[in-house]
Amino acid sequence: MTYDVVVIGAGPAGMSAAIQLRKAGIVVAVVDEQAAPGGQIWRGVERNGGPVSAALGADYQKGAALVEAFRASGAEYLPATQVWQIEEGWNLFLTSEGKARRIKARAVLLANGAQERPVPFPGWTLPGVMTVGAAQILLKSGGMLPEGEVWIAGAGPLPLLYATQLLGLEGRIAGFLDTSKRPGLAALSRLPGAWRDIPGLLKGARWLWDLKRSGRIVRGFSDLHAEGEGSLQHLQWRAGNEQRQVRADVLLVHEGVVPRIHETMALGCVHVWNPAQNYFSARLDRWGETSRPGLFVAGDAGGIGGWLAATLSGEIAGLGIARYLEISPDADDLRHQSGLDERLSRARALRPFLDTLYPPPAGRVADEVVVCRCEEVTAGQIRAVAKVSAPDPNAVKAATRCGMGPCQGRQCGYTVQALIAEVHGLPLADVSFFNIRPPLKPVTLGEIAALGDLEEA
């Protein structure tokens, strides 16, 4: 099959772009790993109602209208489908229902969002320890709430939002371990710009207030350990000179999100370093086009901005792709008439403040802590290799298999980078990411054999 455009991801950005492209009569396929549209932010929005929808909030409920418009747009939707390779000439290799196939496109839009930042600490691999985002998936997918002694540890808007949602559904939180620091001058200097998004500021303040009223907040601690025999049983941390321990059945952790970059890295796109949040993202022009002509990025995959910014960047990318395909020469006029630039600027107004208010953790990872979960490689093993090799993650990868597992470095890439920078005394930005090799996701020999036209592929 050949399409004008293949969009990867049916979240806010992907759906908005597909709707925009279909308005121009462009033939679009939207490939999505999930079984229904909505992405992470609006997961299950067509199905959820009643108390769950009410607890998830007004921003969640807004997704229903966009999903409905997407369904009606005429874009071909390919759910429960995984993209495992993208090649020159925009050949895309997909797997669905255990069979692989190949489709072609004149342009590709990556709207595959972000992932939570992995932050290794002692005990993070124990059963019972998971991310806040994973817990939210369980809530949105099946209405499931954690039980027992539930602790949340981390910083940023998502843990506050999830805690509010959990309490709204009469869930219980034993305590909230707040890893954020007191706002410094850098964060306060960003506050005037953030006032352009007063509703966003008030929303965050309300979440924090609700949590203070209903839960236990612990601040000013260090050395968090999750401990237990076979599963999580208790947490331990240091507060001043005191060592504290509490019983815990579930620990939900979160330290921000980072863009998904494996596809753009594998395709050799130019990337830029975000020094405020310590992540790479593809360098994009004003339309969302990468350094590779015909390859576009929209939404959080191009830089963290939230759901509203994602929908607007999706619209802009849709116009940019129509312009690239020479189907809509008046893209600039449409962009101006819609006020997309001003609306996008307003939607991103809060982000510089949040980025400085919630910087990524900078603590030292102990030698015994597992960094690469797939291959069970510890921080000490990585340091040992880094000391006798060039400051290159691929040297560590070759010596330890770190980053060679099913996640292909998604869970360990930035930690390996930080450990190498630490050993060699370099700024983080001076250390590269892993070289990303195909396939982008695990694929079986049987799926590859199902392609049929192997010589051409």
Side-chain angles (χ1 to χ4, degrees), residues 246-271:
V246 297
R247 187 169 75 82
D249 300 300
V250 176
L251 173 63
L252 306 177
V253 296
H254 178 86
E255 291 289 356
V257 293
V258 295
R260 294 184 182 272
I261 56 171
H262 270 50
E263 290 78 6
T264 49
M265 284 280 185
L267 289 165
C269 297
V270 175
H271 287 72

Side-chain angles (χ1 to χ4, degrees), residues 337-370:
Q337 290 166 13
S338 303
L340 286 171
D341 291 324
E342 171 58 26
R343 290 160 60 198
L344 181 59
S345 175
R346 211 162 44 240
R348 289 174 172 167
L350 194 55
R351 183 52 47 181
F353 173 67
L354 293 176
D355 284 350
T356 50
L357 183 63
Y358 300 117
R364 187 180 190 276
V365 181
D367 279 344
E368 67 274 12
V369 173
V370 169

